[in-house]
């Protein structure tokens, strides 16, 4: 009888310990109430310098990733950097694999698809050509080979300019901008439709022999995109970005990457 009682007690204790060890805290997913530090998983395109990319040391780096790291630090979150295929970003967000998309993510045209922070940077979609190219205006793109990243803002901008696209000799979709710019450098294509900020980085920082056409396809703003309805996390990030603008941190990070403050959240 004693043995049976002891065995029964041990079983109950084992079940209790297992239940406690497996229990997950569900109150306030993003911080308060959790004993362990909450994660903040940022989805980004790892081939999109200077916003997010793989540095020479093999580590993830970039302007947006520096912003995300500072936000996570101030909110006492554990930052998780999650590279994603850009055309799979919606699936990654809806499945919960990432908490936000933060990587030169254009608000314009997507206003109703995500819950957004305010724009923290202005941008525009442009064409990039080689320095010695005879392409100077949109009219000169007629009959030429043009490339844009699949599911990018440049592709979206071009979808609104079918009259222009119809003049192209060939219109190609690339997996990422690094591949597109390598094709431009080699002469495989004549022009790349892409973000002005990214193009400027390649020209200024990497000394690429490219130029940006004066005409632009569209103006836009970069923001941090969250799953539609996730206002709680968006508000925390927005408030923190405003604090970083107030104390000069946004300006400092921007100057590190671009030589000046080009952010649009002002104190």
């Amino acid at each position: 009888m004693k043995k049976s009682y002891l065995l029964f007690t041990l079983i109950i204790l084992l079940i209790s310990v297992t239940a406690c060890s497996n229990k997950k805290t569900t109150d306030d997913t993003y911080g308060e109430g959790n004993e362990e530090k909450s994660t903040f998983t940022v989805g980004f395109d790892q081939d999109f310098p200077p916003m997010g990319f793989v540095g020479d040391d093999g580590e993830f780096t970039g302007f947006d990733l520096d912003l995300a790291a500072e936000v996570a630090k101030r909110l006492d979150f554990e930052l998780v950097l999650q590279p994603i295929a850009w055309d799979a970003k919606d699936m990654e967000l809806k499945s919960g694999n990432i908490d936000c998309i933060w990587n030169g993510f254009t608000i314009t045209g997507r206003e109703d698809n995500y819950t957004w922070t305010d724009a923290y940077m202005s941008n525009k979609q442009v064409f990039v050509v080689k320095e010695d190219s005879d392409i100077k205006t949109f009219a000169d793109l007629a009959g030429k080979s043009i490339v844009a990243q699949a599911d990018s803002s440049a592709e979206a901008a071009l979808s609104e300019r079918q009259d222009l696209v119809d003049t192209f000799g060939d219109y190609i979709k690339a997996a990422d901008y690094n591949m597109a710019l390598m094709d431009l450098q080699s002469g495989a294509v004549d022009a790349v439709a892409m973000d002005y900020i990214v193009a400027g980085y390649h020209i200024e920082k990497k000394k690429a022999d490219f130029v940006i056409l004066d005409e632009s396809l569209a103006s836009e703003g970069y923001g941090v995109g969250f799953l539609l309805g996730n206002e709680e996390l968006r508000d925390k990030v927005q408030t923190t970005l405003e604090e970083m603008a107030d104390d000069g941190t946004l300006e400092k990070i921007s100057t590190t990457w671009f030589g000046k403050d080009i952010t649009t959240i002002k104190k």
Side-chain angles (χ1 to χ4, degrees):
M1 185 71 179
K2 260 185 193 178
K3 287 183 180 179
S4 298
Y5 178 79
L6 286 172
L7 180 60
F8 176 78
T9 303
L10 286 171
I11 291 171
I12 293 299
L13 285 171
L14 182 60
I15 291 171
S16 298
V17 170
T18 303
C20 288
S21 65
N22 289 336
K23 185 179 179 182
K24 293 183 179 179
T25 303
T26 56
D27 295 336
D28 195 349
T29 306
Y30 295 106
E32 299 143 17
N34 288 354
E35 290 183 8
E36 295 183 0
K37 183 178 288 190
S38 298
T39 58
F40 179 45
T41 304
V42 171
F44 70 103
D45 178 352
Q46 68 177 22
D47 295 305
F48 199 61
M51 314 311 282
F53 61 104
V54 180
D56 294 336
D57 59 359
E59 299 294 324
F60 295 133
T61 187
F63 172 73
D64 278 343
L65 302 190
D66 280 357
L67 291 187
E70 181 64 22
V71 166
K73 178 183 175 183
R74 294 186 183 211
L75 290 173
D76 197 29
F77 291 166
E78 178 187 346
L79 179 65
V80 177
L81 299 177
Q82 180 60 57
I84 57 174
W86 196 243
D87 57 1
K89 58 186 177 296
D90 290 345
M91 180 190 69
E92 296 280 0
L93 191 60
K94 289 174 182 175
S95 68
N97 288 340
I98 59 176
D99 293 314
C100 68
I101 302 166
W102 195 338
N103 193 211
F105 195 25
T106 299
I107 299 173
T108 311
R110 300 185 176 112
E111 290 89 345
D112 299 329
N113 300 334
Y114 307 87
T115 291
W116 291 98
T117 63
D118 293 343
Y120 59 87
M121 184 178 288
S122 296
N123 184 48
K124 56 186 177 180
Q125 295 302 319
V126 296
F127 287 100
V128 178
V129 298
K130 293 190 72 173
E131 235 171 5
D132 59 0
S133 173
D134 59 356
I135 300 173
K136 308 298 181 186
T137 68
F138 281 8
D140 298 330
L141 296 168
K144 305 295 186 180
S145 294
I146 314 300
V147 61
Q149 183 180 10
D151 201 34
S152 66
S153 296
E155 183 187 23
L158 284 170
S159 71
E160 300 294 323
R161 291 294 310 274
Q162 194 59 45
D163 60 321
L164 180 61
V165 173
D166 287 343
T167 70
F168 299 165
D170 198 9
Y171 180 32
I172 304 162
K173 310 292 176 63
D176 60 69
Y177 279 125
N178 282 343
M179 184 182 300
L181 291 171
M182 283 192 289
D183 285 344
L184 179 62
Q185 185 66 59
S186 70
V189 299
D190 299 301
V192 179
M194 63 184 298
D195 294 58
Y196 177 85
I197 286 173
V198 179
Y201 174 82
H202 279 272
I203 293 168
E204 295 296 327
K205 298 291 185 180
K206 295 194 172 185
K207 308 302 179 186
D209 60 341
F210 302 146
V211 293
I212 300 170
L213 299 191
D214 290 336
E215 294 177 85
S216 61
L217 282 168
S219 297
E220 59 194 27
Y222 284 161
V224 186
F226 300 84
L227 189 66
L228 199 63
N230 189 1
E231 296 177 359
E232 180 183 359
L233 182 56
R234 186 277 311 276
D235 290 348
K236 290 181 179 181
V237 172
Q238 175 68 38
T239 298
T240 306
L241 286 172
E242 291 170 0
E243 291 169 355
M244 289 164 60
D246 287 343
D247 64 25
T249 304
L250 278 187
E251 179 181 1
K252 181 179 178 181
I253 295 174
S254 178
T255 302
T256 298
W257 282 99
F258 303 107
K260 57 184 178 180
D261 183 16
I262 59 173
T263 59
T264 54
I265 296 178
K266 300 301 181 184
K267 58 185 176 180

